Amino acid sequence: PLEELAPPPPHFVGSCDASKLGMGGVWLPTSLYPSATPYVWRAPFPLPVQHSLVSNSNPAGTINNSELELAGAIAHDAVIACHVPYRPLSTLAGTDNTPALSWLQRGAITTTGPTAAMLHLHARLRRAQRFRSTFCSVPGIDNSLADFASRSFHLSDDDFLAAFSARFPSQPTWQLLHLPTALSSKLTSVLQRQTQPEVLLLPEHDPLVTFGKSGPPTALTSVPTPSCWPT
């Protein structure tokens, strides 16, 4: 569709980041969205994923930093899509990882493995959620909000939200969102190469697609809060 080639103005803008410890990000509503509440989210990586990260001290690792950043970007989209009951939804988000940005902009890769599987999952989520997302580059030094969210797992949710609000005050106040557990598990399994190769599915056969017929492409309408992954 033409709207995919020239995405409409976003309802939310934000940024995301990932570290060895986990991933996180922020979403800020624009004037096109009916609520002014800003959102922050975070999700830790399980220890097996952390221990598999390639580094100077672990050259035999099986997961690289850009794959973690891609997982964080897909989770970033999923968090807002799963919690905002309006469709169609359009977003613009920044990432400070060049390979992840390139993969997201192309939407595909010529090799198999975790990157291809995550991009396939991202495409299914966007189709199922009537969700148009665009990513752009943001310098790491300017990505401080998402960086803090992706590295703060020594704090409880309440302490994290208090610390985040003190560092980055906002009115209305920040609301903490959570990545759906089933989707977090899916991303973890993909990173660890524990999933079967994905198969192409027509929309009517895809368990992610739970909506009926799409409404007018420019109408932002309330819908039941969608499920991002079948339980």
Side-chain angles (χ1 to χ4, degrees), residues 2-81:
L2 182 60
E3 64 191 44
E4 292 294 334
L5 299 177
H11 300 102
F12 283 87
V13 296
S15 67
C16 56
D17 205 359
S19 69
K20 178 180 180 180
L21 299 176
M23 48 191 171
V26 294
W27 282 115
L28 306 173
T30 70
S31 60
L32 298 178
Y33 192 72
S35 170
T37 301
Y39 298 111
V40 59
W41 71 276
R42 61 177 186 157
F45 288 125
L47 288 178
V49 170
Q50 296 184 34
H51 294 161
S52 298
L53 181 63
V54 176
S55 65
N56 291 334
S57 60
N58 185 31
T62 57
I63 300 173
N64 62 55
N65 180 68
S66 294
E67 290 170 336
L68 296 185
E69 295 275 6
L70 178 61
I74 295 171
H76 190 53
D77 272 357
V79 163
I80 198 67

Side-chain angles (χ1 to χ4, degrees), residues 84-121:
V84 170
Y86 288 89
R87 293 298 183 272
L89 195 66
S90 180
T91 62
L92 173 64
T95 174
D96 56 20
N97 185 267
T98 300
L101 176 61
S102 176
W103 294 330
L104 288 161
Q105 290 179 334
R106 286 184 293 164
I109 192 171
T110 56
T111 61
T112 59
T115 300
M118 285 191 286
L119 290 174
H120 186 216
L121 174 61

